[in-house]
Structures are given as C-alpha cells and as structure tokens.
Amino acid sequence: ETSKQAGRMELQPLAVLVDSGLPCSESLRTLLQETVSDFLSNLPGTLADWRSGNYSDLLAKLQVDNFGFVGNRLIFDYWNIPAAPAEWCVVASAAVSNHARTKDRSA
C-alpha cells in the first residue's frame, strides 16, 4: 500500500519522509533512490547543456529544490564526494545555530 501511494507522491515530501526515520522510510527510500538515479541520468552532459536551461527545466519538472539528507547523500556518493568529518559538522552546526540565534529578524 505504501508503494502505491508513494508512486503518486511529489519528490519533496518523499525526501522529507525518507529523512524522518518513520517506519515507512526504508520502503520509501527505494523510490527516492530510483528518482535520484533518474535525476543523475538526466543531468546536462556539456557546458552548453547547462547553459541551455535544461537543468532548470529538470528541477521544475521534479518540483524539488533539494533531495533531503538521504537523497543528497546518494547524489554525493555517486559523485564520490565523501561526508564531512564529524568534527567539522559539530563546528558548522554550532556556527549555524549561533547565526540563527543572533540574526536580526526585524530587517
């Protein structure tokens, strides 16, 4: 039943559900992997293709601005981009939290 409903789901909510860690996340991960694979196979192959607007069209068709933590990791793994070291993640997280806490929201 989950896979039937997931087949009709938009990509952005799918990525959120996979990241959520809910019991259905693992079964939805397969669908996300298939979607990421399709995305990667449709990326522009040349600089001219990147400039043509095809990439923007691809994102508009997918209706996505990111693939979530799991989906982005799948893409980075495909491109052989390793995960950041844990120590760096701690420092980066603290910097983001500090910025969010101290940012003037009245502007």
Side-chain angles (χ1 to χ4, degrees):
E1 182 62 29
T2 302
S3 61
K4 286 180 190 176
Q5 293 173 345
R8 297 187 303 261
M9 185 179 296
E10 292 178 2
L11 180 54
Q12 199 76 58
L14 173 64
V16 170
L17 286 172
V18 170
D19 286 350
S20 72
L22 293 170
C24 63
S25 293
E26 271 309 305
S27 60
L28 294 175
R29 182 184 172 112
T30 301
L31 184 58
L32 181 61
Q33 286 173 308
E34 292 169 2
T35 305
V36 165
S37 179
D38 288 344
F39 166 76
L40 291 167
S41 68
N42 285 295
L43 283 176
T46 66
L47 184 56
D49 291 340
W50 282 98
R51 292 179 176 160
S52 73
N54 290 340
Y55 181 67
S56 297
D57 294 343
L58 175 61
L59 293 180
K61 180 180 137 203
L62 292 173
Q63 298 180 353
V64 66
D65 60 9
N66 74 80
F67 291 89
F69 179 79
V70 172
N72 287 338
R73 186 72 256 155
L74 292 168
I75 293 168
F76 295 154
D77 288 346
Y78 178 84
W79 288 333
N80 295 314
I81 299 172
E87 301 82 21
W88 185 89
C89 291
V90 169
V91 172
S93 180
V96 169
S97 294
N98 184 51
H99 176 75
R101 191 175 49 255
T102 60
K103 183 177 180 216
D104 180 9
R105 300 193 190 278
S106 63

